[in-house]
Amino acid sequence: MMNFSFIHAADLHLGSPFVGLGTADPKLADLMTSASRDALDDLVTQAIELRVAFFVIAGDVYDGDWKDTTIGLFFHSQMSRLERAGIPVFLVRGNHDAESVITKAVRSPKAVRTFDHHKVQSLELPDLKVVLHGQSFSTRAVTTDLAAGYPAARPGWFNVGVLHTSCDNRPGHDNYAPCSLEELVQRGYQYWALGHVHSFEVLNEHPHIVYAGNLQGRGARECGDKGAVLVEVEDNEVSSLKRLPVSRVRWASLTIDLSDIKTEDEAFESYRQAIANEVTNSPQLPLICRISIVGASPLHRHLHEDRGRLRDELKTAADQCREDIWLEEVRLATTEPATVHGVAATGIDLSAMLSHILQSPELF
């Protein structure tokens, strides 16, 4: 049996508008406009350098219908690079690029084989004895269990299931093409290449059932490294999985607790340290942060009275860590310190103070 490798990618979302991200900064606007494209370009380069046997895309190549053919031409150019390198591509359409959604068209290279949206197809690579099973979305909201129609594994072949799905109703995602982990395992395939969920997740090993995640985070709900998966196969079984990070921008969601902070200088150091810690996790990528300030803090009233100053302080702290850090949103959720037996967290005995005032003869 031959040993080989392939790449599993999903959820490219080319043309994503990055809704909600302020792009008043021209540098950030340019960065985000090109991020998804640059991520795919990098992944294709790695595929060629690694000499993978084939390339799988498990849905949502596009974020939606095109305003013009620019994004389609870009994808075509990247797939043509793979074709010239002798690397076939297999893809299913997902909810964002379903048959009914994409109305414009650019002729696909011959190396790109798109699974039918009417029925499950089994496409072969006879030289490797690899067979891939898949079905595309016909409409944006497919609520039926597509996996139920996938055939049993073909004996003696390496079987790959390609499916855009919410397996076991993954939290935070529309329940499209719902299926269960158990039914995927029972098909007997050696690998399931899943799409729709935007985070990397291995649902099962032997057989391997994997969400590759998306190539580029699109908001603060999609933090951390993003990319694809390199799957290595030996003796007709998956021998290893390796993540291939390709994102061009990293998102981070930070929560800073000011509960024990009493001065502005201490608060600023907390901001700076929290951002610095995130920078160590992303030493080479530009960083976009959503920051939540929480805790029962003596600074509560001061912070709420001047939110503009808070944002300026956070931006100053970010600039001290690195120049390519942007603030997407600042959420202020502090509270007044609690009181215990009439004594506030600040150490002031409110009950004694009130008693003293009431006993003062100047009040009468």
Side-chain angles (χ1 to χ4, degrees):
M1 296 181 179
M2 296 183 65
N3 298 336
F4 59 89
S5 64
F6 66 93
I7 282 178
H8 165 203
D11 300 283
L12 281 55
H13 286 277
L14 298 175
S16 175
F18 296 95
V19 175
L21 177 65
T23 53
D25 185 324
K27 186 176 180 180
L28 178 58
D30 291 343
L31 184 66
M32 297 313 301
T33 298
S34 62
S36 295
R37 298 188 192 191
D38 291 346
L40 178 59
D41 180 87
D42 184 1
L43 184 60
V44 168
T45 296
Q46 292 191 56
I48 295 169
E49 291 175 347
L50 291 166
R51 299 181 180 180
V52 298
F54 56 96
F55 194 109
V56 176
I57 305 176
D60 285 357
V61 168
Y62 306 109
D63 194 60
D65 203 10
W66 316 335
K67 294 180 180 178
D68 53 48
T69 58
T70 302
I71 211 72
L73 289 170
F74 169 76
F75 182 66
H76 179 277
S77 71
Q78 295 301 316
M79 296 304 99
S80 295
R81 292 176 62 200
L82 293 173
E83 182 176 65
R84 291 193 299 271
I87 300 173
V89 180
F90 299 87
L91 67 86
V92 296
R93 293 174 178 265
N95 55 295
H96 279 267
D97 59 356
E99 184 69 23
S100 66
V101 173
I102 304 300
T103 60
K104 300 177 180 65
V106 172
R107 187 184 301 275
S108 296
K110 291 181 180 180
V112 177
R113 303 172 72 179
T114 303
F115 288 96
D116 194 273
H117 64 278
H118 294 297
K119 63 183 184 303
V120 178
Q121 275 187 302
S122 296
L123 305 177
E124 301 176 353
L125 289 171
D127 292 345
L128 293 175
K129 292 201 73 174
V130 169
V131 57
L132 299 97
H133 314 280
Q135 182 174 352
S136 291
F137 277 34
S138 57
T139 61
R140 178 181 290 276
V142 173
T143 56
T144 56
D145 180 2
L146 296 181
Y150 281 49
R154 186 178 301 180
W157 288 60
F158 186 84
N159 293 259
V160 179
V162 188
L163 182 62
H164 199 78
T165 180
S166 179
C167 184
D168 288 332
N169 196 10
R170 311 314 286 175
H173 293 79
D174 291 321
N175 197 26
Y176 293 150
C179 68
S180 70
L181 180 59
E182 181 181 2
E183 72 174 305
L184 299 186
V185 170
Q186 289 177 348
R187 285 293 177 276
Y189 301 172
Q190 286 87 344
Y191 190 88
W192 278 95
L194 304 184
H196 186 47
V197 173
H198 288 186
S199 56
F200 171 70
E201 188 175 359
V202 179
L203 304 187
N204 194 78
E205 293 185 358
H206 305 297
H208 283 75
I209 302 174
V210 180
Y211 278 110
N214 54 349
L215 299 190
Q216 172 59 61
R218 302 183 304 154
R221 292 177 57 193
E222 300 179 358
C223 298
D225 292 330
K226 298 293 180 178
V229 181
L230 175 67
V231 185
E232 295 185 335
V233 177
E234 295 180 6
D235 298 329
N236 225 36
E237 293 291 339
V238 174
S239 59
S240 72
L241 300 179
K242 179 183 179 183
R243 295 206 65 202
L244 301 176
V246 295
S247 56
R248 288 303 187 259
V249 181
R250 183 184 176 106
W251 291 80
S253 183
L254 309 181
T255 299
I256 302 174
D257 191 338
L258 298 185
S259 294
D260 297 323
I261 303 301
K262 296 181 176 60
T263 69
E264 286 190 78
D265 287 344
E266 290 175 334
F268 181 83
E269 181 56 27
S270 294
Y271 308 152
R272 192 198 63 77
Q273 189 59 56
I275 296 170
N277 290 342
E278 190 61 37
V279 166
T280 62
N281 296 324
S282 180
Q284 298 178 334
L285 293 181
L287 192 62
I288 302 177
C289 297
R290 174 178 292 179
I291 300 179
S292 299
I293 308 297
V294 302
S297 172
L299 297 175
H300 168 75
R301 187 170 300 178
H302 172 74
L303 292 171
H304 282 262
E305 286 175 348
D306 195 350
R307 290 175 178 243
R309 176 173 170 77
L310 171 61
R311 189 177 182 93
D312 290 343
E313 289 278 86
L314 287 166
K315 185 64 176 76
T316 301
D319 288 342
Q320 289 187 9
C321 297
R322 213 172 61 191
E323 65 176 346
D324 55 350
I325 301 176
W326 288 270
L327 303 183
E328 180 254 0
E329 184 179 358
V330 176
R331 296 181 172 183
L332 182 56
T334 56
T335 60
E336 291 279 12
T339 61
V340 180
H341 302 303
V343 181
T346 56
I348 301 174
D349 188 337
L350 299 178
S351 178
M353 179 182 292
L354 180 60
S355 176
H356 176 75
I357 293 173
L358 292 175
Q359 292 175 14
S360 174
E362 296 177 0
L363 291 176
F364 301 97

